[in-house]
Amino acid sequence: ARSRTVGELLAPTSPFDKKCGRENWTVAFAPDGSYFAWSQGHRIVKLVPWSQCLNNFLLHSTKNVANSISPRLPRQNSDSGQKNKPCEHIIDCGDIVWSLAFGSSVPEKQSRCVNIEWHRFKFGQDQLLLATGLNNGRIKIWDVYTGKLLLNLMDHTEVVRDLTFAPDGSLILVSASRDKTLRVWDLKDDGNMMKVLRGHQNWVYGCAFSPDSSILCSVGASKAVFLWDMDKYSMIRKLEGHHNDVVACEFSPDGALLATASYDTRVYVWDPHLGVILLEFGHLFPPPTPIFAGGANDRWVRSVSFSHDGLHIASLADDKMVRFWRIDEEYPVQVAPLNNGLCCTFSTDGSVLAAGQDGSVYFWATPRQVSSLQHLCRMAIRRVMPTSQVKNLPIPSKVVEFLCYQI
């Protein structure tokens, strides 16, 4: 089945616009669904209120030029009413933008730093931050509601390829870089760098937190998939199975599954607690043997995203296709065409998939399905139980297999 197009945001182009530097490496939705951000290329990040975006799609029957949404910028002083009236921002980051991540604060989650009274920033519950990872190794932190620059983090020596905030509201930020390291930052401690995670022998392409913020997955060149304990900042295990660079990863909403995308033309779905592959989604048939998996086979998988229903996965490959998979089916349930796609992510409510390409973004309606009561119960149990505990439950073996996503 073909996916239905919802809309598109087209970056403005000039007759002399260079193609190089216009790549849209990253798109992101705010955790509360209020904002959408994407890299337009040439240093520019566009921040737009998501509900306003959807309304414009309906008004203009899907087409939209990025600069025609709202020509007026909001006033620069944030106040209590600002959050209720989201405004559009155009942010010049000063260098090519490779990664974006939204972060929101929960006041109860205190900084791990002792000297709280010395902090410049008091991030409240109504705070929404945008982190941008740049070509020069810097990470800039912006206030989403005002568009103001808050912090400039400067420890990486190479491109910051990916960013992820801990989902628990602690404002812990992890950055993945081509300098072969992951760095852990505490934004509640004014952006203090807490830890450097070393283990990758080559470029780190991506990182993702588990929903409970206890585990971090990082992926990179030379088939690397690492899992880290974020309480002890130590490596838990390395996942073996891919045959080429691994470029993207994401946990399922209940934390029981981990999806990884690789240039070997495959998306693997793992049990991160056991380190075993449960599912394989292939983008080339027959699949290439390991010795040919690194060739220029035009099926490299660029991005993968887990839907919030826990049933669907989206993948984006170099064969000009976006695919929607179900975790219990071998073949895609929907497809959509996209040239030069680089990144994709589901909206906060899971109803729309956004995919980035050369400065523009395209949106598709996702497969909609009412989850079975069985699946909802499985997700509820798996949110609080790792695989080892599930296997020890005094229940029939078939139920255990279902809870472990093995059937």
Side-chain angles (χ1 to χ4, degrees):
R2 282 283 290 266
S3 292
R4 180 175 61 84
T5 302
V6 174
E8 55 194 49
L9 293 169
L10 305 177
T13 56
S14 66
F16 307 107
D17 203 357
K18 299 196 303 290
K19 185 78 167 171
C20 179
R22 269 193 64 212
E23 292 86 1
N24 177 0
W25 291 108
T26 178
V27 292
F29 287 94
D32 62 357
S34 60
Y35 272 90
F36 174 72
W38 82 101
S39 161
Q40 279 193 356
H42 301 313
R43 318 187 316 185
I44 302 300
V45 168
K46 194 72 178 286
L47 262 170
V48 293
W50 177 235
S51 58
Q52 195 175 316
C53 241
L54 285 175
N55 290 339
N56 281 349
F57 292 154
L58 293 172
L59 285 173
H60 300 102
S61 65
T62 80
K63 293 228 173 190
N64 201 347
V65 176
N67 278 8
S68 69
I69 296 175
S70 167
R72 290 180 300 108
L73 281 177
R75 62 185 188 279
Q76 287 298 301
N77 53 339
S78 180
D79 58 22
S80 57
Q82 188 93 18
K83 187 173 188 296
N84 300 323
K85 293 178 277 188
C87 297
E88 173 190 325
H89 295 281
I90 298 170
I91 296 172
D92 186 341
C93 295
D95 205 344
I96 293 172
V97 180
W98 285 83
S99 49
L100 291 173
F102 281 98
S104 54
S105 171
V106 177
E108 304 81 67
K109 286 282 181 182
Q110 290 297 330
S111 164
R112 300 191 186 187
C113 174
V114 180
N115 297 320
I116 306 295
E117 65 273 10
W118 294 105
H119 288 168
R120 290 156 54 209
F121 298 107
K122 301 286 187 287
F123 291 117
Q125 195 149 18
D126 61 344
Q127 196 84 31
L128 184 60
L129 305 178
L130 179 72
T132 55
L134 307 181
N135 195 63
N136 59 11
R138 295 192 177 191
I139 302 164
K140 292 187 175 180
I141 311 296
W142 309 82
D143 184 322
V144 170
Y145 302 130
T146 65
K148 284 183 177 177
L149 177 64
L150 298 177
L151 290 166
N152 197 350
L153 312 178
M154 298 185 288
D155 274 285
H156 282 297
T157 57
E158 283 277 353
V159 170
V160 179
R161 192 63 188 83
D162 199 18
L163 294 165
T164 182
F165 275 98
D168 61 5
S170 62
L171 288 185
I172 298 294
L173 173 70
V174 175
S175 54
S177 171
R178 286 184 182 173
D179 65 13
K180 308 176 188 175
T181 68
L182 296 137
R183 291 172 193 259
V184 186
W185 314 82
D186 185 353
L187 297 197
K188 289 194 175 181
D189 187 16
D190 289 346
N192 179 45
M193 191 184 71
M194 303 159 59
K195 202 74 182 173
V196 181
L197 303 179
R198 302 182 193 277
H200 286 268
Q201 301 301 306
N202 287 289
W203 289 1
V204 191
Y205 279 103
C207 54
F209 268 103
S210 62
D212 64 0
S213 303
S214 66
I215 298 173
L216 180 84
C217 175
S218 64
V219 297
S222 306
K223 317 172 197 175
V225 182
F226 294 161
L227 295 178
W228 306 84
D229 181 325
M230 292 308 285
D231 290 323
K232 301 174 183 172
Y233 301 116
S234 59
M235 193 184 296
I236 300 170
R237 63 169 58 89
K238 184 177 180 181
L239 303 183
E240 307 272 358
H242 279 297
H243 302 301
N244 199 352
D245 294 359
V246 189
V247 293
C249 59
E250 190 162 15
F251 282 90
S252 61
D254 58 2
L257 303 173
L258 170 70
T260 57
S262 169
Y263 287 165
D264 65 9
T265 76
R266 299 172 176 90
V267 167
Y268 285 149
V269 180
W270 311 75
D271 182 323
H273 304 285
L274 300 179
V276 297
I277 298 169
L278 300 177
L279 297 164
E280 176 183 330
F281 297 135
H283 295 68
L284 180 64
F285 298 97
T289 55
I291 197 167
F292 294 113
N297 49 48
D298 80 2
R299 298 292 194 282
W300 284 6
V301 189
R302 294 274 173 185
S303 186
V304 67
S305 184
F306 232 116
S307 173
H308 297 267
D309 63 6
L311 281 174
H312 293 92
I313 293 172
S315 67
L316 194 152
D318 279 355
D319 62 354
K320 304 177 182 177
M321 296 290 283
V322 178
R323 293 171 173 82
F324 294 93
W325 311 81
R326 266 184 65 98
I327 60 169
D328 52 3
E329 292 189 26
E330 192 176 348
Y331 298 103
V333 291
Q334 283 185 20
V335 295
L338 180 68
N339 288 338
N340 304 322
L342 296 172
C343 56
C344 67
T345 189
F346 281 95
S347 61
T348 309
D349 65 357
S351 63
V352 172
L353 182 82
Q357 165 243 43
D358 290 342
S360 300
V361 194
Y362 297 84
F363 300 90
W364 291 277
T366 58
R368 301 303 281 164
Q369 195 160 350
V370 177
S371 299
S372 68
L373 190 56
Q374 285 175 312
H375 175 65
L376 293 173
C377 291
R378 170 168 63 182
M379 288 183 70
I381 291 169
R382 291 312 308 269
R383 279 182 203 279
V384 295
M385 276 193 160
T387 308
S388 56
Q389 289 182 20
V390 171
K391 287 183 177 290
N392 291 330
L393 291 173
I395 53 177
S397 59
K398 279 290 181 192
V399 179
V400 170
E401 286 178 17
F402 178 76
L403 290 175
C404 294
Y405 290 90
Q406 291 171 349
I407 54 172

